[in-house]
Amino acid sequence: MTTAPAPAPSPAAALSPMLQRLAAERATGALMRDRGTLYLADGEVVHAESPATPGIDVLLTRGGALHRDGWWDAVAQAGAHRRVGRYLVDSGRVAGGALELCHLGALYDAAFFALAPTRTPARFRYGVAHWIGPVRPVPVHAVQRETLRRRELLDRIWPEAAGDSAPLLRTGRPVDAPVPPRQQRVLEQVDGVRTATDIAQELGRSAFHTLVDLRRLAASGLVEAAGPQPTGPAASASPRIELPEVTADPDVALLRRLRDALEAL
C-alpha cells in the first residue's frame, strides 16, 4: 500500500513559511526580512514598512490629506503610546476612512517588497508593536494573495525586472501614441539617476503603482535600465536593503525616526 504524497504548499504560503506559521500561532511582533518589516498583532498584519516605498506619512502629506505639521504633531503627541493613527482621527486631522485607505495602501505597498524572494533568513521579534497603532488589521492570506497578484500583473505588463531597482534612462525613441498623463509624470522624473523608489518618493505615490507605470513605459520602449544588466541568478535576486533596527521601545524608535527625518530636510 502506497502513501499519498503530501499536498504541495500553496503559492501564497511559499512566499514566507515563517509568516504562515506566525499567523497560525496568532503571534504579535515584527517579522524582519531583507527588504522590509511586517508588523503582526494576533497573527494579522497591522502595518508594513520598506525602504523601497514611501511611508504612510508621505502618502498622507503629499496626497493632500494632511499637512506636514499635523503629521509631526501626531507623532510627538501619540508616537510614544503607539496611537498615532487614532490621534489623527480623534483630533479631526484625518477622516477615519481616509486614514484606513491610505494605511492599507502603504501596508500592501511595503508588503509587496518585504515579501520579495530572498536567500537571507527572516527574523521575528515577539512583542514589538509599531507606533502608528491599530488602524485596520489584514489577514496574512490576504496580504500574500495581493502580493502574488501584483507580481503577476507586473510580469504581464513587461517581464523584465531590471528596471525595478536600477537607475532609469529615457531611450529617446519616438512616441507612437500620446503618453497618458499619469505615466507622463513618471517619465518626467526619469533622468538616468533616479530609481523607481526615488521616483515614487518624489511624487509621493505608491512604489508599486510607480513600477506599473514604469513597466508600461518600458513595454512602450520609452525607458530602460541604465548601464549593463547582470545575467544569471544575480539578475533575479532583489538587492539587500539595510533596515533600521526594530525595537520594542517606542521612545527610541520615535527619536531615531525623527532624527532621520530632520537629517533628510
Side-chain angles (χ1 to χ4, degrees), residues 90-145:
D90 290 346
S91 64
R93 295 184 183 276
V94 178
L99 178 66
E100 285 191 12
L101 186 63
C102 195
H103 178 259
L104 281 175
L107 187 156
Y108 280 123
D109 205 29
F112 172 78
F113 292 92
L115 291 173
T118 176
R119 296 184 180 90
T120 305
R123 295 178 296 145
F124 189 72
R125 293 279 302 277
Y126 283 93
V128 173
H130 194 273
W131 46 264
I132 193 70
V135 179
R136 178 178 287 274
V138 181
V140 162
H141 68 81
V143 174
Q144 293 175 318
R145 183 175 63 242

Side-chain angles (χ1 to χ4, degrees), residues 19 53 69 71 99 152 154-156 191 195 200 203 252:
L19 179 59
T53 67
D69 291 342
W71 169 261
L99 178 66
E152 292 166 359
L154 290 178
D155 286 342
R156 286 199 305 270
D191 60 1
T195 64
L203 296 176
V252 175

Side-chain angles (χ1 to χ4, degrees), residues 18-212:
M18 179 181 283
L19 179 59
Q20 198 77 8
R21 175 176 61 79
L22 293 168
E25 69 179 53
R26 299 179 60 84
T28 294
L31 176 63
M32 293 168 282
R33 291 169 57 89
D34 265 4
R35 305 198 71 201
T37 300
L38 300 178
Y39 292 85
L40 278 66
D42 295 326
E44 294 187 308
V45 181
V46 292
H47 194 63
E49 286 185 328
S50 170
T53 67
I56 187 173
D57 53 334
V58 175
L59 298 180
L60 281 170
T61 56
R62 295 295 296 273
L66 177 67
H67 192 275
R68 194 164 181 266
D69 291 342
W71 169 261
W72 288 115
D73 174 65
V75 171
Q77 296 294 329
H81 303 290
R82 304 185 185 97
R83 293 185 61 82
V84 170
R86 188 72 263 161
Y87 180 87
L88 287 170
V89 174
D90 290 346
S91 64
R93 295 184 183 276
V94 178
L99 178 66
E100 285 191 12
L101 186 63
C102 195
H103 178 259
L104 281 175
L107 187 156
Y108 280 123
D109 205 29
F112 172 78
F113 292 92
L115 291 173
T118 176
R119 296 184 180 90
T120 305
R123 295 178 296 145
F124 189 72
R125 293 279 302 277
Y126 283 93
V128 173
H130 194 273
W131 46 264
I132 193 70
V135 179
R136 178 178 287 274
V138 181
V140 162
H141 68 81
V143 174
Q144 293 175 318
R145 183 175 63 242
E146 177 62 12
T147 297
L148 288 175
R149 185 194 71 82
R150 293 183 177 208
R151 286 187 190 176
E152 292 166 359
L153 174 61
L154 290 178
D155 286 342
R156 286 199 305 270
I157 295 171
W158 183 247
E160 299 294 332
D164 291 356
S165 56
L168 296 159
L169 287 169
R170 302 188 204 188
T171 63
R173 294 173 185 166
V175 180
D176 296 331
V179 178
R182 181 185 176 94
Q183 292 178 34
Q184 181 63 41
R185 288 191 290 273
V186 172
L187 183 60
E188 289 169 356
Q189 299 295 322
V190 175
D191 60 1
V193 177
R194 291 189 179 104
T195 64
T197 293
D198 297 330
I199 293 172
Q201 293 281 359
E202 182 67 25
L203 296 176
R205 181 185 294 179
S206 156
F208 170 75
H209 291 117
T210 300
L211 284 183
V212 168

